[in-house]
Amino acid sequence: MADRFQISKVNGTANAGYDGEGGPAATDQQDPPSSNENHLQPKAPGESGENRRSSRLSFRGFGHFLRKSDAERKFSLAQLTKESLPRLDNYRISMRNLKRPSIGELQGEAVDQRVLCERSGAVLSYFALSIDVVLPNPATTTVTATATATATCHSITIPEPEPEAPGFHIKLGWIVGVLIPCLLNIWGVMLFLRLSWVVAESGILQSLIIITISAVVCVITTLSLSAISTNGEVKGGGVYFIISRSLGPEFGASVGVVFAFANAVSASMNTIGFCESLNVLLKNNDLKIVDNGINDIRIVGSVTVLVLILICCVGMEWETKAQNFLIVTIVLAIFNFLIGAAIGPQGNEENISKGFVGFSWATFKENFGSDYRYAEGVNHDFFSVFAIFFPSVTGIQAGANICGDLKDAGAAIPKGTFWSLLISMSSYALFVLFAGGAAVRDASGNPADLVNGTIVASELPCLASGNCTWGLFNSYEMMQEMSLWGPLIYAGCFAATLSTALTNLLSVPRLVQALGIDQIYPGLIFFSKPYGKHGEPYRGYVLTFFITTGFLLIGELNLIAPLISTFYLASYALINFCTFHAAFVKPLGWRPTFKYYNAWLSLFGFAMCVAIMFLINYVAAIITFGIIFALYLVVMYRKPEANWGSTTQAQQYKAALMAVHRLQNVSDHVKNYHPQVLVLSGDPKTRPPLVDFGYLLTKNNSLMFVANIIPVRVGYKNRQHLVKDGQKYLDARKIKAFYNVIDGFSLEDGINALTKSTGFGKMSPNIVLVGYKPDWNRCRKEEVESYFSILYNAFSQRMGVALLRLPNGLDFSELSSEVTLPANGMGHMHTANAQGFTNELMPAANAASELLHIDSNLNLAGMDSPNSSFTMPQPAPMPNMQRSSRSYKVNSSEEPAVTYHTKGGSDIPQNLLEAMTIFTRKQPKGTIDVFWLYDDGGLTILLPYIISMRSHWQNCKLRVFAMCHGKDEEQEEKSMASLLTKFRIKYSELIMLKGVSEQPRADTMLKHKRLIEPFRRGARNEFGITDDELQSMAEKTNRQLRIHELVVKHSSNAALVVMSLPMPRKEAISSPLYMSWLEMLTSDMKCPVALARGNQTPVLTLYS
């Protein structure tokens, strides 16, 4: 193996000690420690170290070692320790990283406590007796795990992917892969067709300024691009890959679409340039296709685009060969122009009459300043000319567009891009100087108009009439006239335009393919299918052909150029912003090897690009940003499963961290009180109403924690698996909460730990929400004591307590939940529950499980039941209620669905379905009755007020019930009404309870007596309720019974009842008597009943 090195043992001592868990290197007289034995070979019971070593060597086929002494033998590191050395394969996102042992293996955990976690979107579990899962990898990989009930036999077979055949994928160096494509992209239609016109409009000085500004933008963007591309491996997708992996899929995808569109339009623009020069050539030879005008451009352009697309489809080999031919042609044409302009017309009056007068100070001085004129329907100025010129320098991303085909993208992109910028900008500047110094703006082309063999502008008849046909202003053929050999300029113009179009057409399908592979926009997935051994995106080429041809039919180069400029500038702006954002946030993963960048320079480049966009054409700039924003919103709405470690995530973390630190230093104020709820639900899938009730209190307002305590040790990975399953279920139901599982604690100790340690700082729970325990009079005494202690300890931690009871209970563990996905291409993502894996480590029942759900038996074996399926969760609306069914489904036409069904296939009663969705379905008109019996700081009245503000409960009005001392009932009612008004609590009715101190009815007292009779202290029950306790608590007991009668009397038709929770005082009342109070207060009700009590600190205020 590549990660092994040999250790020679001489004289009984290893030259290099192994890195075992303590202890020196092994000697001949001493076997290596067991933790450092070869973990790849089984160990027979009672086998000695000598026999083990011999059998190991003979098994490996190294029998010749047996003839050597132990002192002469060599052992690999893998035979001495389970540790692996740092190697590149351990960090690749592939199956090869299995070489690194897990922490469980290094710690020597039992195999039955490990879970083979997520690989390529699948979660596997060792707890299945027979598992055969096909992973959704490009090369199908099969993982097979078999285990007996006692976990005595395990085998994992993970075949390595097939090695790439020689020549499978062509990788390019920095010259062929970056320098030449960038030069071909930069040397485009402007070089031979429009640069002379730019000089005529802007003059030499402003033309150089235009080139300088363009160069500054490109250099700053190249610095930013180089920094990003050297911060890790850059894959296929170019600018899209860079921005999406830096700023996230929202920005990356939107800019990727715009950039691909810009490249496609740029290809049409360069094809139009090729067609224009071809038309001029045909016209000079008295040839034409249709009209020697725009129709010829459309016909020839469509054929040209088709041919270029076919060249791209052939593959990188032919495209590279074509590039080499084109670059040589362009270089020859450039030198042909420079030499011809330097030599001058040599007295040729025909050339002079066309405006090529040769180098002279007078010509240079005349062309030095600007002379903006009306042309092609536009009154040109500096920025309109800049908009037409700028697309000619937008080739710096050509190398990044095909970065997946580069040998070393991180090194090739900076080097090739900077050299291409230096060469191209120098050539543009030379062209401006040569064209402006050797040719005049206007000429007639008639030698008779010459004065003493030269052109005098004041004597030109065509200038006065405005019909001059030659000169830098009027003819795009000046480059041919000034060159050493005119046909070579045509060849150079053809090569420049076709090469740029070719590189554009080559990059667009790969951008589309990258977007489709990432499944960002569903419409692009169809065009991303790879074909052949090179993975060519043929469907993407077809899409590119239609887009390019559509813009080519416009036929006007100067109309298309400004639109492309805004698209490219937007892309460059975001590239600069990516670098600034990463350098400013400084995540630990930001470690580019290219060091010659600056965060503030990148920010300046971003601002510069945006400013130029608006100066060029503010309408086009607004449209461009509008398109980007619309595409951004689409990604935000779809929420694709993409996590690339973007700097946006890093900033969110830092911003949250800073906000929490700032919040920690802010003292609490009653006006900013938020109910932060810790829901003790156990597995949330088994108790949805309790979780839904907690979310009613916290939705869009505060924190919610959902906790599950498992009294047995389940192992780290199994616990993480349970946490992920629970969190996915919450996410599927659009419940924003944090789910956690604690294992290895008793229920009381676990909840005690949760109340003390959940959250951090001000982001900690202040309310504990539990379910009522209806079986308290049938369970063991320890469970009742533990439940009582939970309530008592919560108050001891100065937390509020809420207790929920439903008429039919809260436990729905007999139903199985399933989250299914629509056919959207993401159905390959499953969890262990989706495969029906069973968890044999979970006990069927135990003492703590009966108490954990606080309602009835929580079947821990059902947590990972084979009858409970759970695939990747997605948000789901309310279920469609059926009268009687075996399952009900939470679904919509396009969204994933949460489905509940019975494990045995029996019908689900209607009342069970209604009970499950009591807090999530729209409530009819009714009342929420609040029995605010004791002043607890206002929590008892605040919680129902929050519920009444929810959309599903807005039809239910608050009715407030309060007790009075009996002295002046009318005055107390006015005082209570005034208090509610000052609290700004909207209520429909205030009722003062009368007769609370009266004696309860005989049947009520008899019912309570029978309830507590089994708990009375006697010969068989030494720890029950004593007569002294009953006598001392008689008045309070009667009050609870009387309140029960009043609740039943007034609220039998209420939608929800909320009342004050009696205080659990350990020193004053026993747990059975307290539970009898709760039983009487909440019994005989047809609606949910919630008991709540604050921690005696105010949560409401009178003041603003």
Side-chain angles (χ1 to χ4, degrees):
M1 295 176 65
D3 60 343
R4 295 181 179 177
F5 60 85
Q6 299 296 320
I7 303 176
S8 300
K9 300 177 67 178
V10 181
N11 297 327
T13 305
N15 291 341
Y18 62 86
D19 54 350
E21 283 76 17
T27 65
D28 288 343
Q29 291 77 22
Q30 181 180 359
D31 289 336
S34 59
S35 62
N36 296 318
E37 292 169 1
N38 179 17
H39 64 285
L40 301 177
Q41 299 299 324
K43 173 183 174 183
E47 184 181 38
S48 66
E50 188 70 28
N51 292 335
R52 180 172 64 252
R53 189 176 298 122
S54 297
S55 65
R56 178 170 63 237
L57 294 176
S58 62
F59 177 80
R60 289 182 174 272
F62 298 119
H64 62 281
F65 281 150
L66 296 177
R67 295 189 296 270
K68 299 181 180 180
S69 64
D70 284 351
E72 297 174 337
R73 293 177 190 168
K74 296 180 179 179
F75 295 91
S76 69
L77 179 67
Q79 293 173 300
L80 300 176
T81 180
K82 294 181 180 180
E83 300 279 11
S84 64
L85 298 180
R87 291 294 182 265
L88 182 63
D89 285 345
N90 293 344
Y91 294 89
R92 292 190 184 277
I93 306 177
S94 67
M95 298 302 293
R96 287 179 289 177
N97 63 2
L98 287 177
K99 287 184 178 180
R100 184 195 299 127
S102 68
I103 194 70
E105 291 172 341
L106 294 179
Q107 284 190 320
E109 288 182 359
V111 179
D112 58 359
Q113 290 188 8
R114 302 180 201 151
V115 177
L116 185 59
C117 282
E118 298 174 352
R119 287 247 175 234
S120 303
V123 178
L124 309 182
S125 174
Y126 275 140
F127 303 127
L129 293 179
S130 179
I131 307 170
D132 189 5
V133 180
V134 179
L135 300 179
N137 281 341
T140 302
T141 303
T142 303
V143 179
T144 304
T146 59
T148 64
T150 56
T152 58
C153 176
H154 301 274
S155 64
I156 304 176
T157 304
I158 304 177
E160 287 288 336
E162 294 183 4
E164 290 186 355
F168 178 79
H169 203 175
I170 300 170
K171 294 295 182 179
L172 308 175
W174 73 273
I175 295 178
V176 178
V178 182
L179 177 63
I180 293 178
C182 285
L183 286 175
L184 289 174
N185 225 350
I186 294 173
W187 283 335
V189 64
M190 295 295 165
L191 183 62
F192 297 107
L193 286 181
R194 289 294 186 273
L195 194 57
S196 59
W197 175 84
V198 170
V199 175
E201 289 278 357
S202 300
I204 295 174
L205 176 62
Q206 293 191 19
S207 296
L208 292 176
I209 292 175
I210 289 174
I211 294 174
T212 302
I213 293 175
S214 302
V216 169
V217 171
C218 292
V219 167
I220 295 176
T221 306
T222 302
L223 291 173
S224 301
L225 186 67
S226 301
I228 299 175
S229 61
T230 58
N231 189 50
E233 291 189 3
V234 179
K235 303 298 182 182
V239 172
Y240 157 69
F241 183 92
I242 289 171
I243 297 179
S244 63
R245 269 56 176 182
S246 298
L247 286 181
E250 297 86 0
F251 281 107
S254 55
V255 174
V257 171
V258 170
F259 197 75
F261 190 75
N263 278 347
V265 178
S266 178
S268 65
M269 182 188 75
N270 282 278
T271 306
I272 291 172
F274 162 74
C275 296
E276 283 187 358
S277 59
L278 181 62
N279 269 359
V280 172
L281 182 62
L282 293 175
K283 185 177 181 180
N284 291 340
N285 292 276
D286 296 326
L287 297 173
K288 67 178 181 177
I289 299 175
V290 177
D291 58 359
N292 207 247
I294 191 169
N295 289 321
D296 282 6
I297 290 176
R298 290 166 177 166
I299 295 171
V300 176
S302 300
V303 176
T304 303
V305 171
L306 180 61
V307 173
L308 293 177
I309 288 287
L310 292 176
I311 293 176
C312 293
C313 290
V314 171
M316 291 293 296
E317 296 180 12
W318 285 92
E319 197 273 339
T320 303
K321 293 176 182 178
Q323 281 188 353
N324 294 335
F325 170 76
L326 294 172
I327 193 68
V328 171
T329 305
I330 294 174
V331 171
L332 291 176
I334 289 173
F335 280 103
N336 178 50
F337 168 75
L338 295 178
I339 294 172
I343 293 175
Q346 295 180 335
N348 189 327
E349 290 189 353
E350 183 177 355
N351 285 343
I352 295 174
S353 66
K354 291 181 179 180
F356 179 32
V357 297
F359 277 105
S360 68
W361 176 250
T363 304
F364 189 89
K365 184 178 179 181
E366 181 183 352
N367 292 335
F368 190 76
S370 62
D371 184 13
Y372 293 108
R373 300 181 187 177
Y374 180 86
E376 297 183 1
V378 178
N379 283 314
H380 287 288
D381 56 18
F382 179 85
F383 289 104
S384 66
V385 175
F386 180 90
I388 294 174
F389 172 81
F390 187 77
S392 65
V393 297
T394 54
I396 61 172
Q397 75 289 340
N401 285 343
I402 57 171
C403 53
D405 299 313
L406 300 176
K407 292 179 182 177
D408 184 4
I413 290 176
K415 190 174 182 180
T417 306
F418 275 116
W419 273 107
S420 66
L421 273 177
L422 178 63
I423 295 171
S424 60
M425 294 304 164
S426 300
S427 65
Y428 278 133
L430 284 175
F431 266 54
V432 168
L433 293 175
F434 275 59
V440 295
R441 284 189 167 99
D442 296 289
S444 63
N446 185 0
D449 293 334
L450 298 180
V451 177
N452 297 326
T454 186
I455 295 177
V456 180
S458 59
E459 301 293 333
L460 275 177
C462 67
L463 187 60
S465 59
N467 60 353
C468 292
T469 56
W470 285 94
L472 297 176
F473 251 127
N474 309 295
S475 176
Y476 297 143
E477 302 176 50
M478 287 302 298
M479 293 291 184
Q480 289 87 332
E481 297 298 326
M482 297 174 67
S483 63
L484 187 64
W485 184 46
L488 188 56
I489 293 295
Y490 281 109
C493 183
F494 294 162
T497 53
L498 293 178
S499 64
T500 305
L502 186 64
T503 53
N504 286 328
L505 293 174
L506 186 68
S507 64
V508 173
R510 282 168 169 75
L511 282 170
V512 173
Q513 188 178 46
L515 284 161
I517 289 174
D518 289 338
Q519 297 186 352
I520 303 298
Y521 297 109
L524 297 179
I525 296 175
F526 174 81
F527 300 101
S528 64
K529 182 179 179 181
Y531 290 90
K533 63 179 182 179
H534 298 293
E536 293 291 338
Y538 291 141
R539 294 179 179 179
Y541 285 123
V542 175
L543 176 65
T544 305
F545 170 76
F546 284 107
I547 295 175
T548 304
T549 305
F551 277 88
L552 185 142
L553 296 178
I554 296 175
E556 294 291 340
L557 191 149
N558 285 7
L559 290 177
I560 298 176
L563 182 63
I564 300 174
S565 295
T566 57
F567 281 0
Y568 277 123
L569 282 167
S571 303
Y572 290 177
L574 278 175
I575 290 175
N576 285 305
F577 185 76
C578 284
T579 303
F580 164 74
H581 196 264
F584 182 76
V585 176
K586 293 182 180 177
L588 295 179
W590 176 249
R591 298 186 300 274
T593 57
F594 182 82
K595 302 298 181 183
Y596 305 102
Y597 73 95
N598 181 271
W600 302 108
L601 186 62
S602 297
L603 181 62
F604 173 75
F606 166 75
M608 190 176 182
C609 290
V610 174
I612 292 174
M613 284 179 64
F614 281 92
L615 290 172
I616 288 175
N617 189 330
Y618 72 91
V619 176
I622 293 174
I623 293 174
T624 301
F625 281 117
I627 294 172
I628 293 175
F629 184 66
L631 294 170
Y632 176 89
L633 291 180
V634 171
V635 181
M636 286 289 291
Y637 176 77
R638 292 194 69 249
K639 297 179 181 177
E641 291 293 322
N643 182 9
W644 299 318
S646 64
T647 57
T648 306
Q649 294 174 332
Q651 186 189 31
Q652 288 174 349
Y653 172 81
K654 286 198 171 185
L657 185 64
M658 294 174 63
V660 170
H661 282 308
R662 287 196 301 267
L663 187 63
Q664 187 65 20
N665 297 323
V666 177
S667 58
D668 293 328
H669 195 282
V670 63
K671 288 195 295 184
N672 295 323
Y673 173 80
H674 298 282
Q676 300 180 159
V677 182
L678 171 62
V679 183
L680 303 178
S681 66
D683 187 350
K685 296 191 290 291
T686 63
R687 298 166 58 77
L690 186 63
V691 177
D692 293 337
F693 183 76
Y695 193 50
L696 270 182
L697 305 176
T698 62
K699 183 178 180 180
N700 300 328
N701 187 51
S702 56
L703 276 172
M704 175 172 155
F705 304 90
V706 181
N708 184 3
I709 297 96
I710 301 176
V712 295
R713 290 290 299 234
V714 296
Y716 170 78
K717 288 188 176 180
N718 193 34
R719 188 177 72 85
Q720 290 299 107
H721 172 63
L722 293 175
V723 171
K724 288 180 181 179
D725 261 5
Q727 191 66 55
K728 286 179 180 179
Y729 171 80
L730 296 174
D731 294 341
R733 302 199 58 220
K734 296 184 178 180
I735 295 176
K736 294 180 175 62
F738 299 95
Y739 178 63
N740 195 15
V741 175
I742 291 183
D743 62 317
F745 285 89
S746 67
L747 180 70
E748 185 177 346
D749 292 340
I751 294 178
N752 218 5
L754 283 170
T755 57
K756 293 179 181 178
S757 60
T758 300
F760 50 91
K762 300 295 177 65
M763 312 301 289
S764 302
N766 49 31
I767 297 175
V768 175
L769 174 61
V770 298
Y772 180 69
K773 184 173 178 58
D775 64 339
W776 65 273
N777 54 355
R778 303 185 301 273
C779 63
R780 298 193 308 270
K781 174 184 71 69
E782 292 80 8
E783 295 180 23
V784 181
E785 294 287 347
S786 180
Y787 184 79
F788 180 78
S789 297
I790 291 170
L791 303 180
Y792 177 82
N793 292 334
F795 284 118
S796 299
Q797 296 299 323
R798 301 302 185 266
M799 302 181 73
V801 175
L803 186 150
L804 179 65
R805 181 177 187 179
L806 264 60
N808 295 321
L810 293 166
D811 182 35
F812 296 89
S813 57
E814 290 304 314
L815 299 179
S816 299
S817 64
E818 179 181 3
V819 181
T820 56
L821 289 168
N824 61 352
M826 300 175 66
H828 64 279
M829 303 186 72
H830 300 279
T831 65
N833 280 341
Q835 306 296 334
F837 295 177
T838 57
N839 188 342
E840 296 177 3
L841 289 183
M842 296 298 183
N846 49 60
S849 70
E850 297 179 358
L851 201 56
L852 177 60
H853 71 285
I854 319 298
D855 191 295
S856 62
N857 292 335
L858 173 63
N859 187 358
L860 290 177
M863 284 182 173
D864 226 340
S865 169
N867 296 315
S868 174
S869 59
F870 186 81
T871 56
M872 180 184 167
Q874 293 291 333
M878 282 302 303
N880 298 320
M881 305 305 296
Q882 303 175 5
R883 176 56 55 186
S884 181
S885 62
R886 287 181 172 82
S887 67
Y888 76 84
K889 194 172 185 180
V890 183
N891 63 5
S892 69
S893 58
E894 298 181 355
E895 293 187 349
V898 181
T899 304
Y900 283 91
H901 53 84
T902 59
K903 295 179 179 179
S906 60
D907 290 347
I908 301 177
Q910 173 70 12
N911 63 341
L912 193 61
L913 299 181
E914 291 178 350
M916 285 190 66
T917 60
I918 181 65
F919 296 113
T920 55
R921 68 172 185 268
K922 188 75 172 179
Q923 296 293 323
K925 288 187 177 181
T927 61
I928 299 177
D929 290 356
V930 184
F931 289 80
W932 193 9
L933 307 178
Y934 316 109
D935 188 1
D936 59 348
L939 186 66
T940 306
I941 190 68
L942 178 62
L943 296 186
Y945 172 75
I946 294 173
I947 295 174
S948 68
M949 300 298 291
R950 302 304 182 189
S951 58
H952 286 170
W953 288 79
Q954 62 185 0
N955 292 330
C956 298
K957 307 302 181 182
L958 282 185
R959 289 201 306 170
V960 181
F961 297 84
M963 294 192 300
C964 58
H965 294 290
K967 297 179 181 179
D968 190 348
E969 295 179 358
E970 184 178 352
Q971 182 60 35
E972 290 191 20
E973 183 176 356
K974 291 181 180 180
S975 176
M976 188 66 182
S978 175
L979 179 63
L980 293 173
T981 302
K982 290 183 177 180
F983 280 155
R984 301 168 305 282
I985 299 292
K986 187 177 180 180
Y987 63 96
S988 62
E989 190 176 359
L990 173 61
I991 301 174
M992 303 302 293
L993 296 176
K994 301 177 182 180
V996 176
S997 59
E998 295 178 0
Q999 191 75 2
R1001 296 194 308 268
D1003 60 329
T1004 305
M1005 297 183 67
L1006 180 61
K1007 178 181 177 180
H1008 181 257
K1009 182 178 180 181
R1010 291 175 178 175
L1011 188 64
I1012 64 174
E1013 189 65 32
F1015 297 93
R1016 295 289 297 273
R1017 179 174 294 188
R1020 296 183 179 180
N1021 188 0
E1022 300 179 358
F1023 304 99
I1025 304 172
T1026 64
D1027 293 336
D1028 292 341
E1029 182 184 4
L1030 282 178
Q1031 185 176 359
S1032 62
M1033 304 298 292
E1035 183 179 344
K1036 293 184 178 180
T1037 301
N1038 290 340
R1039 187 195 312 151
Q1040 309 304 330
L1041 301 182
R1042 183 62 182 143
I1043 291 173
H1044 160 71
E1045 294 175 348
L1046 294 173
V1047 171
V1048 173
K1049 175 183 176 182
H1050 292 284
S1051 303
S1052 57
N1053 296 321
L1056 174 67
V1057 173
V1058 180
M1059 70 176 76
S1060 297
L1061 174 71
M1063 276 298 296
R1065 298 181 178 88
K1066 271 192 174 182
E1067 70 286 351
I1069 186 173
S1070 61
S1071 55
L1073 182 58
Y1074 182 79
M1075 292 303 299
S1076 71
W1077 289 1
L1078 300 186
E1079 177 70 26
M1080 294 302 297
L1081 287 173
T1082 57
S1083 62
D1084 301 329
M1085 296 299 296
K1086 300 177 182 179
C1087 66
V1089 179
L1091 301 176
R1093 192 180 191 99
N1095 60 358
Q1096 302 304 115
T1097 57
V1099 298
L1100 298 170
T1101 180
L1102 310 175
Y1103 307 104
S1104 60

